[in-house]
Amino acid sequence: MNGTGAPGASTTPQVTRVVIVDDQAMVRAGFAALLAAQSDIDVVGEAPDGAAGVELCRRAHPDVVLMDVRMPRLNGLEAAQQLLDPPRGVMHRPKVLMLTTFDVDDYVYEALRLGASGFLLKDAPPADLIAAVRVVADGEALLAPSVTRRLIAEFARQRPRTASRKGRGSAPQLRLKELTERETEVLELVARGQSNTEIAASLVLAEQTVKTHVSRIFTKLGLRDRAQAVVFAYESGLVAPGDQ
């Protein structure tokens, strides 16, 4: 249901292409119906397992993938890894939003480290699902930042100071030194779950200035989005588990 611009409009409204990957048919159908009813969201496909999901995404090139954590053939973590770290020659990398039940486990943390943009509980209210897709597509903020922050803190407590799986040639503490003092302040507030608007208010900066700082942080540290930034902040020691 791709939209078209209104008569006289200078640009066509952005439509977010979504793929839903879940082994429960009712979940897929419910999510698809809800999202397809939105004028700015186009559900371009569904898949019942990770392997089929990866194949579908290679063809459909979605902007956002809703990925269940536990599935047959290929679980959500392995499928997310294939999408976020594609083989040579595959240029498309969608943003991945992990779907999980209340008993969140190690899979979610690993998915965030791999580059997933966040996670959403399957029983979240419909409005939260719609907002989640829009937020992830925009790359503006983490989903449910307070919950995500507690989750990452828990696993950071269990595995303190672990190096990034990618390595990038240096430990997180050394890479942190690449940032300016102001960029370090911004990263700390990102890790605490603050939005750009909240960071601007905290540091008395223009919101556009904060966006510029966040963009430079991502570039300097080789991070894809705020989810990876939160993980990096914990692993580098900038934010310690239990900090308020």
Side-chain angles (χ1 to χ4, degrees):
M1 50 183 246
N2 289 318
T4 57
S10 58
T11 59
T12 300
Q14 180 66 43
V15 174
T16 299
R17 295 166 57 82
V18 176
V19 160
I20 302 169
V21 186
D22 194 296
D23 62 339
Q24 297 179 8
M26 290 296 292
V27 171
R28 296 197 309 273
F31 283 5
L34 180 64
L35 295 174
Q38 312 306 308
S39 61
D40 60 337
I41 298 175
D42 187 5
V43 178
V44 297
E46 305 172 29
D49 59 68
V54 171
E55 294 173 4
L56 173 59
C57 290
R58 296 281 193 251
R59 299 192 308 270
H61 291 181
D63 300 303
V64 176
V65 180
L66 299 181
M67 181 77 72
D68 188 19
V69 171
R70 294 183 178 85
M71 293 180 291
R73 292 184 65 198
L74 191 71
N75 66 41
L77 178 60
E78 294 168 325
Q81 181 173 21
Q82 290 188 24
L83 293 176
L84 295 168
D85 188 17
R88 185 184 300 273
V90 176
M91 302 303 295
H92 179 254
R93 288 204 313 166
K95 293 183 178 179
V96 177
L97 174 61
M98 304 303 295
L99 299 172
T100 184
T101 53
F102 186 75
D103 54 336
V104 175
D105 60 19
D106 196 34
Y107 277 120
V108 176
Y109 178 74
E110 290 299 329
L112 292 176
R113 293 186 66 185
L114 289 170
S117 296
F119 74 96
L120 184 72
L121 299 181
K122 285 188 177 183
D123 60 356
D128 286 1
L129 172 64
I130 296 168
V133 170
R134 289 171 176 157
V135 167
V136 169
D138 188 54
E140 181 63 25
L142 278 173
L143 286 262
S146 61
V147 177
T148 303
R149 186 168 64 248
R150 288 198 300 272
L151 172 77
I152 297 175
E154 175 61 27
F155 286 107
R157 184 180 294 110
Q158 294 178 16
R159 305 187 207 171
R161 310 297 186 268
T162 54
S164 170
R165 184 163 297 180
K166 291 292 184 183
R168 297 189 187 275
S170 61
Q173 291 98 326
L174 296 178
R175 292 168 57 202
L176 189 61
K177 295 180 180 179
E178 299 173 21
L179 303 182
T180 65
E181 182 177 350
R182 177 62 83 187
E183 289 166 350
T184 302
E185 290 178 321
V186 171
L187 176 58
E188 181 177 352
L189 294 179
V190 168
R192 296 185 191 285
Q194 290 195 13
S195 66
N196 286 347
T197 301
E198 292 169 333
I199 294 173
S202 297
L203 299 180
V204 194
L205 297 172
E207 188 171 346
Q208 184 57 50
T209 300
V210 173
K211 290 181 179 179
T212 299
H213 283 312
V214 171
S215 178
R216 288 175 178 168
I217 291 167
F218 290 173
T219 299
K220 287 184 177 182
L221 299 179
L223 305 174
R224 185 176 183 191
D225 55 25
R226 298 173 90 96
Q228 284 194 321
V230 173
V231 174
F232 177 89
Y234 277 102
E235 294 189 335
S236 68
L238 177 63
V239 176
D243 283 355
Q244 299 298 318

